Amino acid sequence: MRRKILSFTLLITSICAFPQSVSEIKADKNYLSGEGWGTTLKQADDAALQDLISKISVNVRSSFTSAEEETNKNGKLDAVSVYRSIINTYSQATLTNTQRIVIENEPDAHVLRYVKVAEIARIFEGRKAKMFDMVESAGRAEQKGKIDDALRYYYWSLCLLKSLQYSNEVKFKDPDGKERLLSTWIPEKMNDIFSDISITPINKLNNEVILSFKYKGKPINSFDYTYFDGMDWSNIYSAKDGQGVIDLRPGQIADNLRIKCEYEFAGESHIDREIENVMALTGGVSFRNAYINVTAVPQENHQPVTEVKEFRSATNASSAIEDYSKHVTILNSISKAISQKSNGSLQKFFTQKGWDQFQKLIHYGRATLIENSDIQFNSLGDKVICRGLTMSFGFKNNNRKFVENVVFTFNSQQKIDEVLFGLGKEAYNDIMMKGVWNMDARLILANFLEEYKTAYALKDLDFIRNVFDDNAVIITGRVANRPKNVTERSQYIDSKIIKYNRQTKNEYLRNLEHCFAGNEYINIRFANNDVIKAGKGGETYGIQIKQDYYSSTYGDTGYLFLMVDVNNPDKPIIKVRTWQPEKDPNFGVYGLSDF
């Protein structure tokens, strides 16, 4: 009891005691301060923060070399405005160490904002660390053939670099161990990527041209682009596993198509307010090598070709090779119906669950069949999993068109019981190449990731409800601005903070249901993923994923960790789900060892 009373007394003392008086802070050269007045505390506080920002911008002005160069080049902003705007991007994202004193309350509000001069350097260190993390993420994405992620992270890191102190002096050790200036190395790296991209037309279906995308001679795992249709540039299209499409205008001649590699990703920058603000300020960088000309578009070819590659699970190793001829016949019927837009005749091939999923998937976007020439089967118990049907999906409202592999799972009666968006070939092969793992476990784990991805895209709350353990550890979080409470003195203002919440399963599902209902669309991008088998717990795995989440109302970027129990092949269970916005400087990303 005495300890509680003492703690309460110390708390009251710390709240009531300011470190110095207002006049002492204003006179102390160890502090920078700003004042503001208004009829409300909010108005006064905003004015005080802006005044403080102007003082900080003057204090650090000499260290912002790139800003002055840009000012002299375009002549649109004077130097003071540029520096002040740059500091303002920090205030909206990372100025968490300013403090506030309310000198007068409403209606004649008067507020003082102040920060220690010694603390100013910390404002820039967080952004610098974030920039280096993006450079590393870009390098890993390039190695995996995820060229969209590589270009996006290189370009965003370049924008962050331009907002740093002494930006032209920041160095980086390249993969060869040589120390390079990032201000020149990043553009060189991006130009190298552009020069290693090749795009070749391979087919034409009606007004849709099917393209092959390669990087250094290998199919690109993921890639975003736009093209010129003779009148204007298209919306963003996405290629996957080396395949993409473009839509010709009626009567358009396709002899010479001009394609631009997407690298700015301005439409996705809202997943990170800091990135969005910096990009708006620093302006764009033009890369001429991002434009690629495509010629010799072939004549139309509607002939479907199906080549079956047979793979059997370890449990069937001693049995005869499976006969997939009936499955192939069904897939060809589905392919033909999708091409002819006559899906109503297909229901006989599905269970009710499978048909419902197929309908949702087909109506997720304007679905078009691209190819069914590389079909792969896997036997898993009495199920048969089919991968390889490639489709494109277009959207009216979010201006996207992308390519996805569609996965069909047949039950023992050769009815399709499940329809999913498939993993990319690189992610799928990463799992299947884990030779020390049980083959069935590998198939189950790949299937689980496909179910997880599809559930969020199609807002399948029932799947998510069933896949989480009733006692799952669920730690959610989001980047948010701390709301201003006019009844309290707060040391935070307009600062990007992380709200972590330990939720029960029911709380998580209730919030997710509200999120699904309030968003026209939800898109999740996985930039990097690592899968590790636990040392105990049988078939239990840890999945670490760098995730970009964006929807019509909210966006963030961070690291997702899932601990999944697949001991029951028919019912994988998520035991742990965590989210964190950045790698922790001490331990990195949450993993199996933390639970």
Side-chain angles (χ1 to χ4, degrees):
M1 185 66 180
R2 288 179 60 191
R3 181 177 298 175
K4 291 182 178 179
I5 293 174
L6 178 60
S7 299
F8 181 76
T9 302
L10 290 173
L11 177 62
I12 294 297
T13 302
S14 65
I15 292 175
C16 297
F18 293 130
Q20 291 174 284
S21 69
V22 172
S23 59
E24 288 174 332
I25 290 173
K26 293 169 65 175
D28 193 337
K29 293 183 178 180
N30 293 314
Y31 290 92
L32 292 177
S33 62
E35 287 184 89
W37 292 262
T39 56
T40 66
L41 278 177
K42 181 182 184 303
Q43 290 176 345
D45 205 29
D46 289 344
L49 185 62
Q50 289 302 312
D51 189 29
L52 176 59
I53 287 170
S54 68
K55 303 286 181 58
I56 296 174
S57 66
V58 171
N59 183 272
V60 301
R61 177 176 173 180
S62 62
S63 65
F64 280 89
T65 54
S66 65
E68 185 150 19
E69 290 172 2
E70 290 173 12
T71 303
N72 293 335
K73 181 178 180 180
N74 58 42
K76 293 181 180 180
L77 293 173
D78 58 60
V80 173
S81 297
V82 172
Y83 302 124
R84 181 167 180 162
S85 297
I86 287 177
I87 299 302
N88 196 49
T89 67
Y90 286 91
S91 74
Q92 295 172 13
T94 52
L95 266 183
T96 60
N97 51 352
T98 66
Q99 298 189 59
R100 185 177 84 173
I101 296 177
V102 177
I103 301 172
E104 294 288 343
N105 280 301
E106 301 172 350
D108 300 313
H110 182 189
V111 171
L112 179 79
R113 274 280 168 187
Y114 65 99
V115 64
K116 285 185 177 181
V117 174
E119 291 286 305
I120 293 177
R122 289 177 52 194
I123 297 173
F124 308 101
E125 289 303 317
R127 181 167 292 181
K128 189 174 183 179
K130 183 173 188 174
M131 179 206 64
F132 278 119
D133 182 59
M134 283 193 172
V135 171
E136 293 174 0
S137 295
R140 289 193 297 270
E142 182 193 357
Q143 291 176 354
K144 293 184 176 182
K146 294 185 174 183
I147 303 305
D148 52 349
D149 289 327
L151 291 172
R152 179 164 55 122
Y153 284 126
Y154 277 133
Y155 185 77
W156 285 4
S157 63
L158 181 62
C159 291
L160 290 178
L161 173 66
K162 293 164 69 176
S163 70
L164 291 176
Q165 288 177 297
Y166 309 107
S167 60
N168 291 332
E169 299 177 15
V170 179
K171 295 183 178 180
F172 170 80
K173 283 191 176 181
D174 67 17
D176 296 327
K178 297 179 180 179
E179 198 169 63
R180 301 284 305 276
L181 290 174
L182 272 178
S183 58
T184 57
W185 186 84
I186 294 176
E188 287 177 10
K189 189 63 181 175
M190 292 180 66
N191 279 317
D192 287 343
I193 291 176
F194 295 137
S195 64
D196 285 326
I197 295 172
S198 61
I199 305 175
T200 306
I202 57 177
N203 200 0
K204 183 173 179 289
L205 302 173
N206 298 318
N207 288 324
E208 191 171 68
V209 178
I210 301 171
L211 303 170
S212 168
F213 293 82
K214 292 185 178 181
Y215 180 66
K216 295 184 177 180
K218 296 181 179 179
I220 295 177
N221 288 318
S222 56
F223 178 72
D224 281 9
Y225 58 98
T226 59
Y227 62 91
F228 191 71
D229 66 3
M231 297 180 64
D232 198 359
W233 287 93
S234 72
N235 296 319
I236 293 178
Y237 280 44
S238 296
K240 182 178 179 181
D241 292 334
Q243 287 190 322
V245 300
I246 64 171
D247 295 310
L248 301 176
R249 287 185 297 103
Q252 180 181 356
I253 298 175
D255 291 341
N256 190 3
L257 301 172
R258 189 163 175 78
I259 292 177
K260 179 185 177 183
C261 309
E262 175 63 24
Y263 58 86
E264 291 184 85
F265 293 91
E268 295 180 16
S269 63
H270 73 278
I271 66 174
D272 190 313
R273 183 64 59 83
E274 186 177 3
I275 294 289
E276 185 178 39
N277 291 330
V278 169
M279 286 181 64
L281 176 65
T282 58
V285 177
S286 178
F287 289 89
R288 293 184 179 181
N289 291 345
Y291 296 87
I292 300 174
N293 290 326
V294 176
T295 59
V297 176
Q299 297 297 316
E300 292 192 20
N301 177 16
H302 291 281
Q303 297 300 319
V305 180
T306 302
E307 299 175 359
V308 176
K309 294 183 178 180
E310 294 180 346
F311 289 83
R312 293 172 288 113
S313 70
T315 55
N316 293 336
S318 59
S319 64
I321 293 177
E322 298 285 345
D323 179 10
Y324 297 119
S325 58
K326 292 183 179 179
H327 302 87
V328 171
T329 299
I330 293 172
L331 289 174
N332 279 329
S333 297
I334 292 174
S335 299
K336 183 177 180 180
I338 293 174
S339 298
Q340 297 176 352
K341 310 295 183 185
S342 58
N343 303 330
S345 62
L346 298 177
Q347 188 169 0
K348 62 185 178 182
F349 299 126
F350 295 81
T351 65
Q352 188 59 50
K353 171 190 170 185
W355 179 247
D356 290 342
Q357 288 183 337
F358 180 72
Q359 290 289 92
K360 286 182 180 179
L361 184 142
I362 289 294
H363 292 102
Y364 176 63
R366 299 184 302 276
T368 303
L369 178 69
I370 293 180
E371 186 182 29
N372 65 343
S373 62
D374 186 12
I375 302 299
Q376 173 181 307
F377 292 98
N378 296 90
S379 295
L380 180 62
D382 60 358
K383 299 178 182 179
V384 173
I385 301 173
C386 168
R387 292 181 172 84
L389 201 69
T390 307
M391 301 173 66
S392 67
F393 295 86
F395 299 87
K396 291 182 179 179
N397 296 326
N398 64 349
N399 297 327
R400 297 282 298 188
K401 188 159 189 176
F402 60 89
V403 171
E404 285 283 358
N405 296 321
V406 180
V407 179
F408 295 93
T409 299
F410 293 82
N411 64 14
S412 57
Q413 286 76 46
Q414 296 180 346
K415 294 271 190 177
I416 297 172
D417 192 49
E418 192 171 52
V419 185
L420 304 172
F421 288 130
L423 293 175
K425 288 183 179 179
E426 181 74 19
Y428 178 74
N429 289 335
D430 280 347
I431 296 173
M432 301 312 293
M433 292 299 104
K434 302 284 188 180
V436 296
W437 297 356
N438 177 278
M439 173 60 84
D440 282 0
R442 283 179 264 170
L443 292 171
I444 293 167
L445 191 58
N447 187 246
F448 162 77
L449 288 173
E450 290 166 339
E451 288 178 319
Y452 187 88
K453 171 184 176 180
T454 306
Y456 280 85
L458 301 185
K459 302 179 183 180
D460 187 350
L461 200 64
D462 288 337
F463 168 80
I464 299 171
R465 178 180 292 108
N466 292 329
V467 81
F468 273 94
D469 185 83
D470 288 340
N471 298 312
V473 175
I474 302 174
I475 301 174
T476 62
R478 62 177 288 160
V479 178
N481 288 328
R482 182 185 291 274
K484 304 178 182 70
N485 187 332
V486 297
T487 64
E488 298 179 2
R489 181 174 68 87
S490 172
Q491 71 180 66
Y492 300 99
I493 192 77
D494 286 339
S495 59
K496 186 172 73 173
I497 62 170
I498 308 305
K499 294 180 178 180
Y500 286 106
N501 299 296
R502 171 71 184 273
Q503 296 184 5
T504 65
K505 176 181 176 179
N506 288 335
E507 289 172 337
Y508 176 69
L509 290 172
R510 187 164 55 248
N511 292 333
L512 194 60
E513 183 176 17
H514 178 73
C515 176
F516 284 171
N519 282 284
E520 179 185 359
Y521 66 90
I522 293 175
N523 283 317
I524 297 176
R525 298 177 64 118
F526 293 152
N528 297 297
N529 60 80
D530 294 304
V531 183
I532 302 173
K533 191 175 188 296
K536 57 183 180 180
E539 299 300 325
T540 299
Y541 297 83
I543 306 169
Q544 294 173 322
I545 304 170
K546 183 171 176 57
Q547 172 185 280
D548 293 328
Y549 172 102
Y550 56 102
S551 66
S552 54
T553 61
Y554 172 74
D556 62 36
T557 183
Y559 293 87
L560 181 70
F561 168 71
L562 301 172
M563 185 168 76
V564 186
D565 180 344
V566 295
N567 283 287
N568 182 347
D570 296 323
K571 193 176 180 182
I573 294 295
I574 297 176
K575 298 288 188 179
V576 177
R577 178 197 184 275
T578 70
W579 179 89
Q580 63 190 100
E582 297 169 353
K583 292 181 179 179
D584 188 276
N586 296 317
F587 64 83
V589 181
Y590 284 113
L592 288 170
S593 61
D594 298 301
F595 299 92

